[in-house]
Amino acid sequence: MRKLYTYFVLVLGIAMIGLGIYLMFNPSTSLQALTIFIGIILVLNGLNEVISYFGERKYWSISKWIMLDGILSILVGGFAIFESNMAERLFIIIFAIWILASAILRILTAFAVKGFPGWTLLLLMGIFGLIIAIISLFTNTLVAIAIGIILGLFFILQGFTCLSLWWVIRKGENRAKR
């Protein structure tokens, strides 16, 4: 189960990077299709983080912030899937707030795993997410025009965060085997 989870994190990270690159190069993608697809990715990411919390807390002091981030991702993803017409209209604000919350929680998670290999990369990803969130919150018109680019960068960030977590878990397993 643990090995399966480790590979799930790796695949999820690669999928998020792929989605981010797609969004950056296809900004004219239908907003409704984009909203539903992103909702699915958010639900999967949220499930990953909740499973991560319950599965990994036995092996290392994983932060409860990961579980909270996962629940938030599931809620926002479910809203995007089941209320896509309303979500389209609120898309920019919803994601700016979610990016902000996720970035803050990522920073808190990084400090919770301080001392493990790769924790600084998690911190940097959280700080980068915070910058993207602040830009998104204060420049709604710009975000509306460049939504593909901003969301693309964010999903690339989330993908690298998953890859960083995968790397930390792998290093932690190697450390535990010694």
Side-chain angles (χ1 to χ4, degrees), residues 117-131:
W119 80 272
T120 54
L121 187 56
L122 288 174
L123 178 64
L124 290 174
M125 294 297 150
I127 292 168
F128 186 66
L130 192 62
I131 292 167

Side-chain angles (χ1 to χ4, degrees), residues 37-102:
F37 186 68
I38 288 174
I40 292 168
I41 293 291
L42 291 176
V43 168
L44 290 175
N45 182 60
L47 289 172
N48 169 57
E49 289 179 337
V50 170
I51 291 168
S52 166
Y53 172 74
F54 287 108
E56 297 298 315
R57 69 182 175 164
K58 298 173 190 170
Y59 301 103
W60 55 294
S61 62
I62 193 166
S63 172
K64 290 179 183 165
W65 295 113
I66 287 217
M67 183 177 64
L68 181 61
D69 188 28
I71 292 169
L72 182 63
S73 294
I74 291 169
L75 292 173
V76 171
F79 177 77
I81 293 168
F82 296 111
E83 295 291 336
S84 61
N85 289 334
M86 186 184 298
E88 282 181 51
R89 286 176 258 146
L90 300 172
F91 196 68
I92 295 169
I93 295 169
I94 289 169
F95 278 96
I97 292 169
W98 180 69
I99 291 168
L100 178 64
S102 184

Side-chain angles (χ1 to χ4, degrees), residues 87-152:
E88 282 181 51
R89 286 176 258 146
L90 300 172
F91 196 68
I92 295 169
I93 295 169
I94 289 169
F95 278 96
I97 292 169
W98 180 69
I99 291 168
L100 178 64
S102 184
I104 291 168
L105 295 172
R106 198 65 65 211
I107 291 168
L108 294 170
T109 298
F111 282 113
V113 298
K114 187 175 181 177
F116 280 90
W119 80 272
T120 54
L121 187 56
L122 288 174
L123 178 64
L124 290 174
M125 294 297 150
I127 292 168
F128 186 66
L130 192 62
I131 292 167
I132 291 173
I134 290 168
I135 291 170
S136 299
L137 283 170
F138 292 109
T139 56
N140 289 339
T141 304
L142 175 64
V143 174
I145 294 169
I147 197 161
I149 294 170
I150 291 172
L151 287 175

